[in-house]
Amino acid sequence: MRETPRGGQQPPDRPAWDEPVLDVAQLLLDRQIIDVDGLPVAKVDDLELACPPGGGPPVVTAILYGPAALGPRIGGRLGAWWVAVGRRFRPVSDVAAPSIPFDAVAELSTTRLRLSVPVEDMAADKFSDWLREKVVFRLPWGRR
Amino acid sequence: MRLSALLGCTVRDRDGVRVGVVHDVRLVADGPAYGSGRPSYRLAALVCGPVAAFQRLGYGREDLTGPALLDWLFTLLARHSRLVEWDLVGGVTGSVLHLRVTRGELPLLRGRTTRAARRAARAERRR
């Protein structure tokens, strides 16, 4: 097994999925995502689907999270408001919903959704950095 | 395409009869492999019906049963819910999915709740 920066263990092989058949709203949406070290990353707000190049039904390509992903799911005025609020808290150059390639999922079962990469590699960390730099550091004693 | 674009869509059959609203999406891990070699999750079917609450509580799953009263209640609510294979979707107009088959040809979400299945179970018990 490969050692991760925080001492976690990354599985060397990729076995078959624990859930060969799953109902998304039941087992995937709103599920807490944890990284390879067990740290929380985000919650699953939406999924990105794409048709494979060879044709056939759409397949899941990425997990989307954040207000820009949850807003359309809520729908209506509340959903639009949620997206607008989320947009104001994000950098101008980064307006799309952050995504995690589904290939980065190491474990998916009824009880957990664990990634094979550390949280530092996720787009969520860019938001944290931006929030720290633009908001927290500007507060009195924010740099302590 | 986003999953949220499918959830909440109205489903109509070949004759224009309303089947229900998409409450859930069933994925099967047998699509083209990801870069890691694992099979991708393919969109296999849509769960459609008039009531979503039971589905979100897990009562759409065949392996989840009881307590008996809740099972009865949610089974009653789910009696019109159908499973629509993705291949049966003929086209999309706005937020309406048009099927290539009639409503009666679609399997019920919980097969064991069909009248035929209940009759078969009763016959089995009598034996």
Side-chain angles (χ1 to χ4, degrees):
Chain A
M1 288 213 180
R2 187 166 70 81
E3 192 84 5
T4 67
R6 283 202 175 86
Q9 297 288 318
Q10 193 168 5
D13 56 338
R14 298 277 188 134
W17 299 105
D18 290 334
E19 294 285 332
V21 178
L22 65 87
D23 289 348
V24 175
Q26 258 180 53
L27 297 177
L28 209 51
L29 291 182
D30 304 320
R31 177 66 56 87
Q32 177 69 53
I33 307 166
I34 56 171
D35 80 344
V36 66
D37 300 308
L39 294 174
V41 178
K43 290 199 175 181
V44 180
D45 290 320
D46 206 347
L47 294 178
E48 190 177 78
L49 304 165
C51 289
V59 297
V60 179
T61 52
I63 295 170
L64 305 174
Y65 58 92
L70 183 61
R73 225 182 96 203
I74 296 170
R77 284 187 183 179
L78 182 62
W81 177 81
W82 193 255
V83 172
V85 169
R87 196 178 293 137
R88 286 183 182 274
F89 280 98
R90 293 192 69 79
V92 178
S93 60
D94 197 8
V95 291
S99 64
I100 300 169
F102 209 82
D103 207 14
V105 176
E107 189 183 345
L108 173 61
S109 66
T110 51
T111 53
R112 62 192 297 179
L113 200 170
R114 194 171 59 84
L115 303 178
S116 60
V117 290
V119 69
E120 288 84 358
D121 294 354
M122 296 290 103
D125 207 49
K126 281 199 281 182
F127 175 60
S128 300
D129 290 345
W130 178 85
L131 197 66
R132 198 179 304 115
E133 186 188 329
K134 302 287 184 187
V135 180
V136 177
F137 282 180
R138 292 181 183 186
L139 296 171
W141 301 289
R143 288 180 182 269
R144 284 191 172 185
Chain B
M1 179 172 67
R2 280 193 183 187
L3 176 77
S4 56
L6 283 175
L7 296 176
C9 280
T10 303
V11 179
R12 292 191 179 276
D13 76 354
R14 191 178 58 196
D15 304 326
V17 177
R18 193 174 187 275
V19 176
V21 172
V22 179
H23 295 308
D24 206 344
V25 167
R26 185 159 291 179
L27 303 176
V28 178
D30 62 357
Y34 293 119
S36 62
R38 270 181 160 175
S40 61
Y41 275 103
R42 160 181 73 86
L43 199 165
L46 309 170
V47 178
C48 307
V51 185
F54 77 93
Q55 181 66 25
R56 295 304 299 269
L57 291 171
Y59 279 86
R61 290 171 69 98
E62 293 280 340
D63 54 344
L64 187 64
T65 56
L69 185 64
L70 285 179
D71 197 31
W72 172 81
L73 176 67
F74 289 120
T75 302
L76 187 73
L77 292 172
R79 67 190 186 281
H80 297 304
S81 294
R82 311 253 167 187
L83 200 61
V84 179
E85 297 284 332
W86 178 251
D87 299 337
L88 300 178
V89 177
V92 184
T93 311
S95 61
V96 180
L97 303 177
H98 301 281
L99 305 183
R100 284 199 288 259
V101 294
T102 59
R103 186 173 183 273
E105 294 173 63
L106 299 170
L108 289 170
L109 178 60
R110 299 186 69 175
R112 62 191 177 80
T113 62
T114 60
R115 195 171 295 167
R118 283 199 298 272
R119 203 179 296 137
R122 272 201 301 273
E124 186 68 29
R125 278 199 298 272
R126 278 193 206 113
R127 266 184 229 145

